[in-house]
Amino acid sequence: MTTGGMLETTRVMWNFFFNKPADTRPAGKIPVHKMSREELLSAPVNTVFRIGHSTVLLKLEDGFWLTDPVFSKRASPVQWAGPPRFHQPPIGIEDLPPIKGVIISHDHYDHLDRDSIVKLAGKTEHFLVSVGVGDIITGWGVPAAKVRQLNWWQSTQVDAIRLVATPCRHFSGRGLFNKNQTLQNSWTILAPGFRIFFSGDSGYFHGFKRIGEQYGPFDLTLLEAGAYNVNWAGVHMMPEETVQAHLDLKGRRMLPIHNGTFDLSMHAWREPFDRILSLAKAREIEVAVPVMGEPVYSSAAAQARPWWAAVDAGPVPVTGQSTPLAALAGGSASAQRPGEI
């Protein structure tokens, strides 16, 4: 999913595996706020807890919801190789209260983790997934009666919560020969008095504006802001695009995700935080960047303190170049899906 031909793709992959800069991983220890079941149960409704990468725990009207739960040590098909976590999860699956629903955006290993799904199967009422992903998790033992597979623009109701499978611009596949055999979604989560947009993975596209017009304004946007690169801008957003997506969605507060947990690109690990915070400040956007596990309350102003600045000794240079939005929005033609809005 890179721009350019085979030669450019080979060069990019060679650099990714053999020429990684040292600062793509933290030199120090990332702080983690240890969560407890008691803290979760006593938290007010509409509190949000970031577990790591794209895993977010939402306390909504009728219970707890998890997005793209990955609690394993590595984002990989095997646990002896692949990108390891920068930090431990702030809570274990066994310590979580019962989960009303798990929301899965697509089947990539940093979003769909078999071990986590198997452990969650017994304590989760519903699994909301994109088309085809339900077949994967039922094959892992999740009861089919718990699984709802949704196509773009389809919606479903779970008690007081309405969930809409909204489009994104990405791709899927867990192996070399099953590319785009399953769908990839963003998700619109409509709880009483609290509207959330969860991007999953996506390049920037005009669908954000349509979603904002149809379901916005959003109280909270959980937007991908990490593991980006100009070579795969068609399927992952650069920070400037993440900010524009938030504006398109008519978001009130943004919580940037897809960063701070796994080494999946060539930029410094802390660069997404620095760039998003700077861009958001310039556009007067409220952004929440909590320590992993720290609660974000809907009723209180977000605290955008740069906790990551103390993790590494010395300054970390910004390696990504600020690129005009118009130059990035086109992306790679290979990322486009038939019928994409």
Side-chain angles (χ1 to χ4, degrees):
M1 309 307 295
T2 60
T3 57
M6 181 60 69
L7 185 62
E8 177 64 15
T9 299
T10 302
R11 184 190 69 81
V12 170
M13 297 309 294
W14 178 270
N15 286 332
F16 182 83
F17 287 110
F18 300 108
N19 293 321
K20 297 274 284 188
D23 57 7
T24 60
R25 293 183 53 79
K29 188 174 181 180
I30 287 182
V32 172
H33 171 80
K34 287 294 185 182
M35 301 159 59
S36 68
R37 180 182 290 226
E38 292 72 24
E39 178 186 21
L40 296 176
L41 293 174
S42 62
V45 169
N46 300 337
T47 300
V48 175
F49 301 83
R50 189 170 178 214
I51 307 296
H53 199 57
S54 294
T55 306
V56 179
L57 182 67
L58 311 169
K59 185 173 185 180
L60 302 179
E61 188 80 10
D62 57 354
F64 292 94
W65 296 75
L66 270 173
T67 65
D68 288 355
V70 178
F71 287 77
S72 292
K73 180 181 177 181
R74 298 178 185 270
S76 172
V78 295
Q79 288 301 298
W80 49 266
R85 299 182 73 97
F86 299 163
H87 60 85
Q88 291 296 316
I91 192 170
I93 290 175
E94 63 279 2
D95 296 321
L96 287 171
I99 302 298
K100 176 63 70 171
V102 164
I103 302 168
I104 299 172
S105 63
H106 64 298
D107 66 6
H108 286 159
Y109 288 96
D110 58 324
H111 296 262
L112 180 63
D113 175 56
R114 176 172 182 162
D115 185 62
S116 298
I117 296 298
V118 169
K119 289 179 179 178
L120 283 163
K123 67 189 311 172
T124 301
E125 287 187 43
H126 305 281
F127 289 82
L128 290 302
V129 303
S130 47
V131 172
V133 174
D135 300 330
I136 296 174
I137 66 173
T138 54
W140 296 343
V142 176
K146 292 186 175 186
V147 179
R148 303 187 193 185
Q149 303 193 63
L150 277 70
N151 208 332
W152 286 356
W153 301 114
Q154 290 183 330
S155 66
T156 189
Q157 192 83 19
V158 177
D159 297 338
I161 312 298
R162 183 185 177 201
L163 300 105
V164 186
T166 38
C168 66
R169 191 174 189 229
H170 198 57
F171 65 107
S172 65
R174 291 173 71 81
L176 296 176
F177 306 108
N178 64 349
K179 181 179 172 182
N180 288 336
Q181 298 302 299
T182 64
L183 191 63
Q184 55 279 336
N185 294 348
S186 62
W187 287 92
T188 292
I189 305 163
L190 306 174
F194 197 51
R195 290 175 174 251
I196 304 167
F197 178 80
F198 169 54
S199 69
D201 280 359
S202 183
Y204 179 79
F205 74 133
H206 63 271
F208 291 122
K209 190 171 183 64
R210 180 176 172 185
I211 295 165
E213 290 170 348
Q214 189 158 343
Y215 294 110
F218 287 94
D219 299 288
L220 178 68
T221 63
L222 306 173
L223 286 174
E224 174 202 286
Y228 50 76
N229 189 287
V230 293
N231 288 288
W232 49 83
V235 292
H236 286 290
M237 288 187 283
M238 302 295 284
E240 295 83 359
E241 296 175 305
T242 299
V243 168
Q244 185 60 52
H246 175 80
L247 295 172
D248 290 351
L249 292 160
K250 304 178 183 178
R252 181 177 69 84
R253 175 185 293 177
M254 173 172 57
L255 198 164
I257 57 174
H258 209 257
N259 54 48
T261 299
F262 295 114
D263 178 6
L264 301 175
S265 189
M266 302 291 283
H267 56 68
W269 76 271
R270 58 180 261 190
E271 181 186 305
F273 298 108
D274 288 329
R275 288 180 68 175
I276 285 291
L277 203 60
S278 176
L279 290 163
K281 183 178 180 181
R283 302 295 292 270
E284 297 184 339
I285 294 170
E286 185 179 357
V287 59
V289 279
V291 168
M292 301 297 178
E294 192 174 44
V296 176
Y297 302 108
S298 64
S299 58
Q303 299 297 314
R305 70 184 189 280
W307 56 262
W308 55 91
V311 174
D312 295 325
V316 176
V318 173
T319 58
Q321 297 298 312
S322 180
T323 307
L325 183 62
L328 293 170
S332 170
S334 62
Q336 207 91 17
R337 290 182 59 86
E340 181 180 283
I341 65 168

